[in-house]
């Protein structure tokens, strides 16, 4: 049976999301892919405006994920 997390993240693939890592650092980006361990984001920006092409985040370190578009 597919978990709720897997179901929702599958629906959100290709959309812009916000992610908080370690309850201190917030990022936005396009959710490209995920598995049971990590999220892969593209076109990433942090709350200070720093930009990156991609970021892999451990699901263990994610506090929350929000759909932005």
């Amino acid at each position: 049976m597919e978990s709720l997390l897997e179901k929702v993240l599958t629906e959100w693939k290709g959309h812009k999301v916000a992610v908080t890592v370690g309850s201190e650092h917030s990022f936005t980006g396009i959710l490209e892919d995920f598995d049971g361990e990590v999220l892969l984001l593209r076109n990433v920006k942090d709350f200070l405006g720093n930009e990156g092409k991609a970021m892999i985040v451990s699901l263990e370190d994610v506090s929350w994920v929000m759909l932005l578009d």
Side-chain angles (χ1 to χ4, degrees), residues 1-4 6:
M1 181 178 194
E2 185 178 42
S3 74
L4 179 58
E6 292 171 328

Side-chain angles (χ1 to χ4, degrees), residues 3-41:
S3 74
L4 179 58
L5 178 63
E6 292 171 328
K7 181 179 176 182
V8 170
L9 291 179
T10 298
E11 292 175 9
W12 291 4
K13 279 174 76 171
H15 294 277
K16 189 172 184 178
V17 296
V19 177
T20 295
V21 179
S23 72
E24 293 182 17
H25 304 286
S26 297
F27 301 89
T28 61
I30 306 299
L31 178 59
E32 180 151 318
D33 207 354
F34 68 95
D35 63 17
E37 297 179 19
V38 298
L39 297 175
L40 173 60
L41 302 176

